[in-house]
Amino acid sequence: MLRLPHFRYLAPRSLDEAATMLAEHGPQAVVVAGGTDLFPNMKRRQQEPPVVIGLRSVSTLGGIDALDGRLRIGATTSLHNVASHGLVRERLPALAIAAGLVSTPPLRRMGTLGGNLCLDTRCTYYDQNYHWRKSIDFCMKKDGAICWVAPNSPRCWAVSSSDTAPVAVALRADLRLVSARGERTVSAADFFHDDGILYLTRQPDEILASIEFPALEGWRMTYEKLRRRGSFDFPILGVAAAIKLSDGIVEEARLVLGAVGSSPVDQSNLAGSLVGTRPTYAAIQEVAAAAYKGARPLDNTDLNYAWRKKMARVYVERALAAVCEVELPNG
Ligand SMILES: Cc1cc2nc3c(=O)[nH]c(=O)nc-3n(C[C@H](O)[C@H](O)[C@H](O)COP(=O)(O)OP(=O)(O)OC[C@H]3O[C@@H](n4cnc5c(N)ncnc54)[C@H](O)[C@@H]3O)c2cc1C
Ligand code: SF4
């Protein structure tokens, strides 16, 4: 049985208190929300923080509020609540779908939206216990010097495997970050960083407080997920698609792929070819072919990477056909 290392647990009651604690303990400390990612990582000694600051008792970090057309979701809102909340299902169905496809029902009740957006990147050579990793002399993401996926690479290629991250980018969400130094808001696109180790632009002393989605009236959106087991599994491909239609003509189109790189890959420029047109299956096929070319999954996650690349075409077709209400030839 894998056991947690020793650590000190702090339970702040307010966001200010949590930010002060994080600033006081510096790089020694991390925050925890649901713990469904952090604690397994600590058991595998991928992370060994001496101090863990729990956010569960900070009531202002939870909840879902409508602000005119916009929706603000507190970072510690559980994935279950995100997936089942009436306003999220009505206004942001792609987010409800993505949150509802994360892991399992018990883990979705513990796991939070903020934790999902801050999820550690994944790799076959990293998601192993300490002794497994030691047997290959570790890798540069933790304790080692080399990348086993690309041995000449100066960077880590671990994969962004969050289901909600591509949706947040596609829907142009803004994230509020709070620290003892003050607060700032960053777009979801700027929150993620294409590096397997430094995969977020969040600073170590910053707490993700809330995620705000703009008013998306007239938009149709979805999220398609590829995984080995239908019951539960991390995505090995995620496709977030959103389209604004007016009288059947596309006004704006967004397409973001997850789990094909160290950050979500925004391919909205490819979907841009649909703008100003009444979408057809042929036009969707063209976008899907271009998305296939641009998807470069590596051999460091589940199933064969060449097959996963092929599936990018299939899943982009499915997602775009669904939002454009275009029937696929094979149903
Ligand atoms: C068996 C299993 C299956 C899983 N399947 C999936 C899956 O299919 N898809 C998927 O996306 N995930 C999956 N997960 C991962 C995880 O359960 C989810 O990503 C979950 O949403 C993480 O949220 P959490 O609140 O538990 O995060 P935590 O474990 O609490 O935190 C995760 C990371 O985010 C940081 N963090 C958390 N909250 C904040 C905050 N407010 N501000 C700053 N930093 C913060 C923590 O320091 C930590 O680094 C799975 C996990 C398990 C164990
Ligand atoms: S991509 Fe390379 S450095 Fe990153 S976790 Fe995998 S093996 Fe390690």
Side-chain angles (χ1 to χ4, degrees), residues 31 33-38 79 103 112 116 118 163 208 225 233-234:
V31 296
T36 64
D37 179 48
L38 181 71
L79 292 164
S103 52
T112 64
N116 193 240
C118 297
D163 279 301
L208 174 58
K225 172 173 180 171
D233 241 326
F234 280 92

Side-chain angles (χ1 to χ4, degrees), residues 51-65:
V51 178
V52 174
I53 300 169
L55 299 178
R56 280 291 180 177
S57 307
V58 181
S59 58
T60 52
L61 286 177
I64 299 176
D65 301 303

Side-chain angles (χ1 to χ4, degrees), residues 121-127 136 138-142 146-150 155-159 196-197 298 300:
T121 50
R122 296 177 60 77
C123 171
T124 316
Y125 297 93
Y126 172 71
D127 293 304
I136 58 162
F138 304 102
C139 76
M140 72 165 78
K141 185 159 160 72
K142 178 77 167 71
I146 193 173
C147 170
W148 293 108
V149 176
R155 61 162 281 188
C156 161
W157 295 91
V159 180
I197 296 171
L298 288 171
N300 62 345

Side-chain angles (χ1 to χ4, degrees), residues 235-311:
I236 46 176
L237 170 68
V239 178
I243 218 139
K244 188 174 187 193
L245 286 172
S246 173
D247 294 331
I249 306 291
V250 178
E251 274 186 8
E252 262 187 82
R254 312 249 178 86
L255 178 68
V256 181
L257 305 195
V260 292
S262 299
S263 61
V265 177
D266 195 342
Q267 295 195 327
S268 301
N269 59 328
L270 304 179
S273 63
L274 301 174
V275 172
T277 70
R278 194 174 292 278
T280 60
Y281 176 54
I284 287 173
Q285 269 184 311
E286 270 180 37
V287 177
Y292 159 79
K293 274 193 199 150
R296 293 192 182 84
L298 288 171
D299 193 10
N300 62 345
T301 181
D302 201 7
L303 298 177
N304 176 281
Y305 70 99
W307 180 78
R308 280 191 277 124
K309 181 172 166 71
K310 284 187 189 154
M311 292 309 282

Side-chain angles (χ1 to χ4, degrees), residues 42-102:
M42 287 174 65
K43 287 182 177 179
R44 292 188 291 251
R45 305 303 189 263
Q46 292 158 321
Q47 280 160 271
E48 299 170 275
V51 178
V52 174
I53 300 169
L55 299 178
R56 280 291 180 177
S57 307
V58 181
S59 58
T60 52
L61 286 177
I64 299 176
D65 301 303
L67 318 157
D68 309 320
R70 292 169 292 137
L71 221 52
R72 185 176 54 208
I73 304 182
T76 61
T77 309
S78 74
L79 292 164
H80 169 81
N81 285 349
V82 172
S84 58
H85 197 282
L87 280 175
V88 182
R89 291 168 74 97
E90 183 195 314
R91 295 188 192 178
L92 308 170
L95 182 67
I97 295 170
L101 288 172
V102 174

Side-chain angles (χ1 to χ4, degrees), residues 69-71 92 171-174 212-217 254:
R70 292 169 292 137
L71 221 52
L92 308 170
L171 303 186
R172 305 292 186 253
D174 282 326
E212 194 172 308
F213 292 86
L216 291 164
E217 221 171 290
R254 312 249 178 86

